[in-house]
DNA sequence: GTCTATACATCGATAGAC
DNA sequence: GTCTATCGATGTATAGAC
């Protein structure tokens, strides 16, 4: 007979192995690139055989999806736990700075979240929902700073995404582009608020 | 004995086959994505066997490099033949509009030039030189509009690149992001020139 | 659950005959 | 230059023993 505590232990153990697999996948992704993670290498890394991975992930894209969700949760935790000050413009700058730091801290993670390093992989709607929650936090802060127009939100996304993407692609590890984040935020908010005051 | 005209015919023929291969590669890239171009499909498309392609391109990345160079030449031709009006701000807007049109006209080409659709491929210095020449044209126009500071050039690159990249990734074929190009140019040039007038 | 073993399809790339 | 044949790698998936 299977008692509740037995099944509990089983679940725990299963989840622990799953986490070890994910950790190893991140390690390989950081070393060789997200797209270069192979199931055979991954299995060797956690002392399993390649077919055994299918007990934890139904397919390789399910592994990527779990990584995507994990990255989103980390990003969400970063901006949720943070208390952004009452001054709206400063709050936006702090949030952008957190995002820049988040990306610089793990380029593979940033690539998986914001670029498309694996052409055949698209996050499931469930995982993507986590990404949307992050955008919602940003939208809230933006709105308080005077940019509630969806068009302005799109522009802002493109501006910040552009800085980060140029940084990752052309000078990973540096700050040639991202160091201008504050200036771009100021430029953008000045622009938005000027338009509102004198239309 | 090999006469000059015979060797000439041979070169011509070789170059013609090479062009047919490149055309087919672009066709496949537009249909299936840049990364999904396979040498076997490509060979079938031009009625050759897969190993025969190695007579024309030393490796798959050499094919990508030739495509990259071709795309750069087309972009360079677009902005070089154009006569951008004497009003600097208008000229920058026209150049950005040309760039947006260029990208929208062939998403696969834009991806190969401005994103990194094939993780293992990096353009050779020779090909990248063509890309630099395009940037130089843009820098010239930007400088005339008051943005000659390298830092400002970096910011501008990120802003426009961000708009185009968001557009390609999230809504290929639409203009949700790129339609704001003129507004972003104005915002940027206002910002740059304001800083200069009142420091 | 995990293993061994195997299978199928794809891919880039190479050797050697012609 | 082009072919046939082949190599080693990949992702994916399954069967069957333990």
């Amino acid at each position: 007979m299977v008692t509740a505590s037995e099944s509990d232990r089983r679940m725990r153990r299963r989840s622990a192995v799953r986490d070890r697999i994910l950790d190893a996948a991140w390690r390989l992704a950081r070393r060789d690139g997200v797209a270069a993670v192979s199931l055979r290498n991954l299995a060797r890394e956690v002392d399993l055989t390649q077919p055994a991975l299918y007990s934890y992930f139904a397919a390789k894209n399910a592994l990527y999806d779990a990584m995507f969700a994990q990255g989103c949760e980390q990003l969400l935790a970063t901006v949720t736990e943070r208390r952004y000050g009452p001054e709206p413009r400063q709050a936006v700058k702090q949030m952008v700075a957190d995002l820049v730091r988040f990306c610089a801290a793990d380029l593979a993670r940033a690539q998986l979240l914001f670029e498309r390093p694996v052409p055949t992989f698209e996050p499931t709607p469930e995982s993507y929902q986590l990404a949307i929650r992050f955008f919602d936090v940003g939208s809230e802060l933006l709105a308080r700073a005077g940019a509630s127009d969806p068009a302005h939100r799109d522009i802002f996304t493109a501006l910040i995404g552009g800085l980060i993407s140029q940084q990752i692609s052309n000078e990973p590890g540096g700050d040639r582009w991202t160091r201008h984040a504050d200036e771009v935020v100021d430029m953008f908010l000045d622009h938005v608020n000027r338009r509102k005051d004198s239309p």
Side-chain angles (χ1 to χ4, degrees), chain A residues 1-198:
Chain A
M1 180 199 175
V2 176
T3 69
S5 75
E6 259 178 45
S7 125
D8 204 51
R9 259 202 309 274
R10 241 172 276 215
M11 295 254 294
R12 255 184 239 282
R13 160 143 186 79
R14 183 178 167 77
S15 159
V17 175
R18 219 183 112 101
D19 285 347
R20 279 186 53 234
I21 295 174
L22 277 172
D23 286 351
W26 280 117
R27 203 161 50 241
L28 291 180
R30 280 187 288 266
R31 199 190 62 187
D32 306 328
V34 179
V37 173
S38 88
L39 295 185
R40 285 174 173 87
N41 283 344
L42 179 55
R44 193 178 315 123
E45 204 76 10
V46 292
D47 283 310
L48 284 176
T49 58
Q50 175 252 333
L53 296 178
Y54 281 82
S55 300
Y56 297 94
F57 300 96
K60 197 189 184 186
N61 277 353
L63 169 71
Y64 281 135
D65 197 54
M67 295 171 75
F68 182 88
Q70 219 174 46
C72 285
E73 272 158 16
Q74 291 163 354
L75 177 56
L76 208 48
T78 301
V79 299
T80 301
E81 293 166 4
R82 255 278 225 171
R83 281 293 152 261
Y84 295 112
E87 209 285 291
R89 180 175 295 235
Q90 204 54 32
V92 171
K93 282 186 193 171
Q94 285 170 348
M95 201 267 285
V96 169
D98 281 344
L99 178 59
V100 166
R101 256 192 304 275
F102 177 89
C103 291
D106 189 338
L107 297 179
R109 184 179 59 179
Q111 245 168 17
L112 182 58
L113 261 58
F114 300 115
E115 299 181 13
R116 204 169 284 266
V118 185
T120 71
F121 164 65
E122 223 175 341
T124 59
E126 296 77 40
S127 301
Y128 198 70
Q129 195 57 39
L130 296 169
I132 291 179
R133 283 178 54 199
F134 165 70
F135 282 110
D136 288 344
V137 172
S139 299
E140 170 72 23
L141 290 181
L142 264 189
R144 272 188 245 174
S148 51
D149 182 352
H152 284 149
R153 220 160 46 207
D154 283 347
I155 292 177
F156 186 76
T157 306
L159 302 192
I160 304 303
L163 285 176
I164 291 175
S165 152
Q166 291 286 329
Q167 190 60 60
I168 290 179
S169 303
N170 301 320
E171 194 203 51
D175 71 341
R176 174 172 159 189
W177 280 270
T178 53
R179 71 179 162 194
H180 302 119
D182 275 3
E183 180 177 346
V184 167
V185 170
D186 274 327
M187 171 183 72
F188 171 76
L189 290 179
D190 286 346
H191 168 74
V192 166
N193 290 313
R194 187 160 28 245
R195 287 188 62 138
K196 215 165 18 201
D197 297 344
S198 54

